[in-house]
């Protein structure tokens, strides 16, 4: 599709549902919330729901749709997310797409020795550093769940390891409500206070309910922690087709929509006006292996379709791309990564995470992240489209050059080629002879070399010694308090 002005906007996209189909899914989601409801034992949720006019009985809560719709009115339609230094980084709204790293895997594929091993804090640090360098990665997540620190308090170790190595915005899961509180306290130290952090948020919470329709106390507490601070949060339950949700994609999307609406209602009843996305994760159950397939085309189709529903509410969306079911950087990894990154970019999903996953999310890989960054560059250029005006049509330049001429020495070429033509970093565009002379490097060879170069030469903007010292104090204090609380029960 060709644009007709100087302004570069999204020029390509796709529609999956008709307006009537979106309306049907939305009505079905409201029906589920109203007639089936959700399970929740949290006493504060019971109290809020009763006061709002919902039905609460035996930990089952059914919410009349008018309550949900009232909460939707107060939910912000988009957010501005800043970087660690308080500079605008992402407009999370409309169909603007931003890509981020993978997270929470117990294993890491070592980019230097090629072995899959337990994730460590050093991996989180290096993941942040590599992501900081990559221009296609817009936000970061801790690349893995560190196995060399106490698991129940991992976030107070992972968050400072991440943010000390990148200035980019961060999304974090959090393993406990208390851990989330410490993460926000750490972020406030960096931002210069909680008020500054709330005004210019550079972190986004990611509380994950359990499909189908179950909101455990710990998840509710994390929703509250973010809402109380007016910090943006992403509903993140994973609805797995044929396992924790209907095998039909329409049914799966309906369930995700219902669970997102419940999450939004809980957050709004807790703190009116707090920022919440309409989001969830799609899982495809491979009926041969009984494992979740991240590279399945249905995964991308369902996420794109769910985003259309969320966009009809004018709320931010959440995707998952750049991931593979392969266990190494091979053709499968490239195919699945490229297909998901492009299809979700075309769909206009806002925050697209998990670039860098191997083995259906069980391992994080810097190689997969670096290769995914290349695909993101291609995708962003494709989605950017074509600007049409007198200058870009170049009628006079074509006339000046005339038949049989060339455009290499034209000032028009010099003025425009860097903006018009995407610059490949890893794709091999050399002649055969040059490639042979270089030792016939494969894509995997080039990716490994890129990871090595970044790890050895890139120097992220450091935090001050004062901030690092305070983060270290909070890390030690947080671990001690979290473990003591869990031990006490």
């Amino acid at each position: 599709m060709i644009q007709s002005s100087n302004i570069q906007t999204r020029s390509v996209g796709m529609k999956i549902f008709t307006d009537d189909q979106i309306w049907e899914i939305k009505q079905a989601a409201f029906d589920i919330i109203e007639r089936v409801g959700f399970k929740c034992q949290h006493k504060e949720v019971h109290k809020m729901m009763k006061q709002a006019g919902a039905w609460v009985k035996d930990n089952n809560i059914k919410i009349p749709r008018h309550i949900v719709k009232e909460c939707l009115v107060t939910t912000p339609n988009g957010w501005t997310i800043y970087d660690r230094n308080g500079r605008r980084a992402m407009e999370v709204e409309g169909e603007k797409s931003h890509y981020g790293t993978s997270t929470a895997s117990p294993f890491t594929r070592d980019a230097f020795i090629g072995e899959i091993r337990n994730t460590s804090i050093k991996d989180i640090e290096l993941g942040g550093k590599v992501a900081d360098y990559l221009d296609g990665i817009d936000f970061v997540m801790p690349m893995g769940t560190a196995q060399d620190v106490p698991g129940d308090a991992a976030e107070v170790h992972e968050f400072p390891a991440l943010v000390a190595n990148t200035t980019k915005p961060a999304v974090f899961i959090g393993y406990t409500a208390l851990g989330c509180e410490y993460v926000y306290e750490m972020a406030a130290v960096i931002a210069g206070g909680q008020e500054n952090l709330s005004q210019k948020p550079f972190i986004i919470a990611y509380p994950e309910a359990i499909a189908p329709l179950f909101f455990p106390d710990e998840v509710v507490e994390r929703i509250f922690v973010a809402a109380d601070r007016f910090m943006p949060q992403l509903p993140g339950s994973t609805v797995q087709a044929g396992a924790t949700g209907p095998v039909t994609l329409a049914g799966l999307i309906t369930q995700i929509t219902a669970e997102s609406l419940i999450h939004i209602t809980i957050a709004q009843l807790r703190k009116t006006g707090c920022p919440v996305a309409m989001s969830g994760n799609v899982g495809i159950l491979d009926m041969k292996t009984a494992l979740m397939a991240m590279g399945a085309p249905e995964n991308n189709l369902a996420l794109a379709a769910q985003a259309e529903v969320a966009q009809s509410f004018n709320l931010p969306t959440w995707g998952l791309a750049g991931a593979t079911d392969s266990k190494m950087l091979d053709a499968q990894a490239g195919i699945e990564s490229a297909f998901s990154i492009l299809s979700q970019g075309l769909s206009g999903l806002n925050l697209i995470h998990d670039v860098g996953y191997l083995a259906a999310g069980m391992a994080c890989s810097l190689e997969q992240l670096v290769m995914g960054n290349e695909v993101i560059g291609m995708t962003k250029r494709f989605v950017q489209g074509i600007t049409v005006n007198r200058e870009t049509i170049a009628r006079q330049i074509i006339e000046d050059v005339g038949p049989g001429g060339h455009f290499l020495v034209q000032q028009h070429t010099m003025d425009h080629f860097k903006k018009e033509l995407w610059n490949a970093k890893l794709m091999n565009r050399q002649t055969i002879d040059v490639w042979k002379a270089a030792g016939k490097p494969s894509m995997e060879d080039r990716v490994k070399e890129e990871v090595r170069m970044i790890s050895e030469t890139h120097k992220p903007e450091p935090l001050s010694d004062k901030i690092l010292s305070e983060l270290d104090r909070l890390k030690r204090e947080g671990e001690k308090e979290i473990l003591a609380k869990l031990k006490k029960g």
Side-chain angles (χ1 to χ4, degrees):
M1 182 183 297
I2 299 178
Q3 298 174 15
S4 58
S5 70
N6 289 322
I7 301 173
Q8 289 258 354
T9 56
R10 282 178 51 82
S11 64
V12 288
M14 58 182 184
K15 286 286 290 181
I16 296 168
F17 290 138
T18 65
D19 290 343
D20 287 344
Q21 289 170 332
I22 290 175
W23 183 87
E24 287 185 28
I25 286 173
K26 290 164 71 169
Q27 297 313 305
F30 283 126
D31 281 346
I32 289 168
I33 297 168
E34 198 168 51
R35 297 175 183 276
V36 179
F38 67 104
K39 181 180 179 182
C40 181
Q41 299 174 331
H42 199 285
K43 300 305 180 186
E44 181 62 25
V45 173
H46 290 189
K47 179 181 177 182
M48 293 190 314
M49 290 292 175
K50 287 178 180 177
Q51 289 177 343
W55 300 292
V56 181
K57 184 179 180 182
D58 298 330
N59 296 322
N60 183 248
I61 303 172
K62 299 176 182 179
I63 316 174
R65 68 186 64 199
H66 72 86
I67 297 173
V68 181
K69 290 181 177 180
E70 288 168 5
C71 289
L72 286 167
V73 171
T74 63
T75 307
N77 295 137
W79 327 319
T80 298
I81 302 298
Y82 296 78
D83 69 9
R84 197 186 70 187
N85 294 324
R87 298 173 297 212
R88 287 177 178 267
M90 301 187 298
E91 301 295 341
V92 185
E93 62 187 15
E95 296 183 357
K96 299 174 183 177
S97 294
H98 312 279
Y99 292 87
T101 69
S102 55
T103 190
S105 299
F107 303 113
T108 292
R109 186 174 193 268
D110 192 303
F112 305 109
I113 63 175
E115 296 295 324
I116 294 177
R117 53 166 175 75
N118 285 347
T119 300
S120 69
I121 284 294
K122 291 293 184 183
D123 294 317
I124 307 295
E125 294 172 350
L126 184 55
K129 181 178 181 179
V130 172
D132 187 70
Y133 175 86
L134 298 174
D135 56 6
I137 299 300
D138 303 298
F139 66 94
V140 296
M141 301 181 76
M143 284 196 72
T145 294
Q147 304 297 300
D148 56 347
V149 298
D152 291 322
E155 65 262 68
V156 299
H157 292 268
E158 293 168 1
F159 182 73
L162 177 67
V163 295
N165 285 280
T166 180
T167 60
K168 293 182 178 181
V171 175
F172 74 99
I173 295 175
Y175 306 105
T176 66
L178 184 55
C180 289
E181 291 180 6
Y182 270 98
V183 166
Y184 281 124
E185 192 168 348
M186 290 176 174
V189 168
I190 295 169
Q194 180 60 52
E195 183 176 350
N196 288 344
L197 180 63
S198 295
Q199 290 179 354
K200 294 186 174 182
F202 71 92
I203 61 172
I204 304 171
Y206 182 33
E208 299 176 291
I210 298 176
L213 302 164
F214 177 42
F215 284 72
D217 286 0
E218 192 62 49
V219 172
V220 170
E221 288 294 334
R222 281 182 267 157
I223 293 171
F224 285 175
V225 169
D228 288 347
R229 291 163 176 77
F230 275 87
M231 296 296 290
Q233 57 181 293
L234 297 156
S237 65
T238 297
V239 182
Q240 195 169 356
T244 60
V247 74
T248 54
L249 298 188
L252 180 147
I253 293 161
T254 300
Q255 184 176 313
I256 290 178
T257 304
E259 290 176 350
S260 294
L261 288 169
I262 292 166
H263 187 129
I264 290 168
T265 303
I266 292 172
Q268 293 302 309
L269 291 179
R270 174 71 175 193
K271 192 67 68 172
T272 302
C274 68
V276 192
M278 176 168 282
S279 54
N281 293 307
V282 171
I284 301 300
L285 179 66
D286 187 299
M287 294 298 175
K288 293 180 180 177
T289 64
L291 298 175
M292 187 169 73
M294 281 192 170
E298 297 87 359
N299 185 59
N300 301 289
L301 179 61
L303 281 168
Q306 191 275 328
E308 284 188 10
V309 177
Q311 288 159 359
S312 75
F313 286 102
N314 201 19
L315 290 174
T317 58
W318 180 239
L320 190 163
T324 181
D325 298 315
S326 179
K327 317 308 179 283
M328 59 189 294
L329 199 74
D330 57 9
Q332 178 183 344
I335 291 167
E336 292 176 341
S337 176
F339 183 85
S340 58
I341 289 171
L342 177 59
S343 62
Q344 292 183 42
L346 290 175
S347 303
L349 281 142
N350 296 138
L351 298 171
I352 305 171
H353 78 312
D354 283 346
V355 181
Y357 261 157
L358 293 179
M362 290 303 293
C364 286
S365 166
L366 292 178
E367 298 160 288
Q368 182 76 357
L369 177 67
V370 167
M371 185 173 69
N373 180 72
E374 188 87 340
V375 180
I376 291 167
M378 299 175 76
T379 297
K380 287 184 175 181
R381 177 61 190 95
F382 187 76
V383 172
Q384 182 180 319
I386 300 173
T387 297
V388 175
N389 56 36
R390 181 174 295 181
E391 174 72 10
T392 62
I393 287 176
R395 184 179 299 177
Q396 184 62 51
I397 305 302
I398 297 170
E399 183 177 330
D400 292 344
V401 170
H406 67 81
F407 295 80
L408 286 173
V409 298
Q410 294 295 317
Q411 186 61 44
H412 184 272
T413 301
M414 298 302 296
D415 290 343
H416 290 279
F417 83 93
K418 289 185 179 180
K419 294 180 290 184
E420 196 77 9
L421 307 178
W422 174 69
N423 181 33
K425 294 182 178 179
L426 297 176
M427 301 299 179
N428 190 321
R429 294 176 173 178
Q430 300 168 323
T431 66
I432 294 174
D433 288 341
V434 171
W435 171 68
K436 285 181 177 179
K440 303 179 182 178
S442 66
M443 172 60 79
E444 184 176 7
D445 295 330
R446 295 191 293 276
V447 166
K448 284 181 179 293
E449 181 56 34
E450 184 79 352
V451 173
R452 187 176 301 279
M453 181 277 294
I454 297 169
S455 67
E456 291 177 355
T457 65
H458 180 58
K459 298 187 183 302
E461 183 179 336
L463 291 168
S464 70
D465 290 341
K466 181 179 179 181
I467 289 176
L468 288 173
S469 177
E470 182 63 8
L471 294 183
D472 187 62
R473 183 190 70 79
L474 288 169
K475 176 176 67 178
R476 289 182 278 108
E477 178 186 301
E479 178 185 317
K480 183 178 179 181
E481 186 176 357
I482 291 166
L483 297 180
K485 183 177 179 180
L486 290 171
K487 184 177 181 180
K488 186 177 180 181

